[in-house]
Amino acid sequence: MHKNVFVALLPLLGGCYLHHTLGSTDGDGGALDSSLPPTIADAAGPVPTCPLTERCTVADGSDIRAIAVDDERVYWVEHGTFDALGNHRGDGRLRVAPVEGGPATTILEGLAGPVDVRLTSTHVFIGLASATREDGTRGAVTARVAREGGSLEHLTNEPLRRCGTCFASDGDLAVWVDDVAIRVQGAADATPRSIREGARRAVTALALDGDDALVLTAVRGGEERSVLRIALDDGETMPIATLPLTGGEDTLALVDDELWIEEGAGRTETFLSRKPIDGGAWARAVALPNGERIARIVTADRRIAISLRRPGRGLPIAVHAATPGDATLRTIVDGLSPEFAGAGTWNVPFDANAELVLWVVDDGSAIVRAPW
């Protein structure tokens, strides 16, 4: 990860169906309304691909709750449905499609309420809300499956924490935070191991730095909030930074040896702030509009993507962009529909790779991509 950051703030767009050509694009990168772009994949199979330099609809789905992206593919989970008594029917799915366009493939079906998906180089990690556990009870489960498919492995009876940055990976190694501990698992490990117990409310975000996890601690007993370096092999812990008193609770990124957080300066001012990991002071890099707060942060090759929400409202509201040094953000897309709140998702489902940012439209029916 690197220092020169391009910031894009991603929301949902207006609803659509993928078997039509939808909306229009702005060729010079200006702000767009909530109309959707042309489709590049449909149920009939491959169609001519849309250039990666253009905004396009990649795939369709039903009640898409989360997506995860690598250099070539986008993975997503479809939540499924409930019966008249409110019991999940176990009809959720894990699917994948090329980011350039083409038909989608179902990796797993019969999933019990999938709500989150994350990637390592070898596995897809899934958060299930209504799974049957080994003891016969039903509830949240973290599971994984090999990228090429196969049997679903139940890992813990704890949900993947659905905060802004609670899962990180490096090659085949996964590191995540749940309500019990910070977990570490490689491809060959049958079960995850814990490197820090009591993570509930104590750790609100994490990032990876070589063989260490960098974690953001929550407020406890009036103590100053800090960033800790925790060794992945033995859990040895060392504080490396103290946050400003107005530092955000669930935003942490590492880009080219700089830490990035949200910082607030009152009810109407918030910033994306940064500091060198090896010392120095926090500096406000980009002002966020109207006191809006960061909902989630994603890093990809010298870039940071973040979704925003208004204070007092959980919904992200717009797509913005800026480069470090800019005092304001450039709006890319606005017009988020409040209807998406009914889907129960925690945030705009979005992710990014080195070239593209992908997100889900506000009725959960399609995935859209755009160049950085």
Side-chain angles (χ1 to χ4, degrees), residues 145-303:
V145 64
R147 282 201 185 211
E148 62 271 18
S151 300
L152 188 68
E153 303 174 58
H154 284 206
L155 304 176
T156 73
N157 289 343
E158 298 292 335
L160 285 171
R161 282 274 292 278
R162 299 164 74 190
C163 67
T165 48
C166 281
F167 185 101
S169 65
D170 183 8
D172 69 358
L173 185 71
V175 183
W176 72 94
V177 181
D178 61 28
D179 285 347
V180 174
I182 300 174
R183 314 280 188 176
V184 180
Q185 187 170 22
D189 298 330
T191 58
R193 55 187 175 86
S194 301
I195 60 170
R196 185 181 176 89
E197 300 288 344
R200 183 176 178 82
R201 298 190 182 93
V203 174
T204 59
L206 68 83
L208 290 184
D209 183 24
D211 295 329
D212 300 329
L214 307 178
V215 303
L216 184 63
T217 63
V219 175
R220 279 194 161 186
E223 296 178 356
E224 289 184 308
R225 303 182 65 243
S226 60
V227 179
L228 306 178
R229 179 182 294 277
I230 302 178
L232 296 177
D233 54 358
D234 60 9
E236 182 181 356
T237 301
M238 179 179 65
I240 62 171
T242 299
L243 268 66
L245 294 178
T246 53
E249 293 188 2
D250 56 6
T251 300
L252 178 67
L254 178 65
V255 180
D256 201 18
D257 294 330
E258 283 194 326
L259 296 169
W260 290 75
I261 63 164
E262 174 194 285
E263 182 184 357
R267 293 186 177 182
T268 61
E269 290 186 285
T270 49
F271 303 87
L272 190 60
S273 297
R274 65 185 183 183
K275 73 176 295 293
I277 193 172
D278 56 359
W282 293 100
R284 295 172 178 174
V286 180
L288 307 182
N290 305 316
E292 293 163 13
R293 306 296 302 273
I294 296 173
R296 186 183 179 196
I297 187 166
V298 171
T299 60
D301 190 30
R302 300 188 179 189
R303 292 162 174 162

Side-chain angles (χ1 to χ4, degrees), residues 336-360:
L336 170 68
S337 168
E339 295 299 322
F340 194 81
T345 189
W346 70 289
N347 187 22
V348 173
F350 83 95
D351 203 359
N353 62 23
E355 295 183 356
L356 303 166
V357 177
L358 293 88
W359 65 97
V360 179

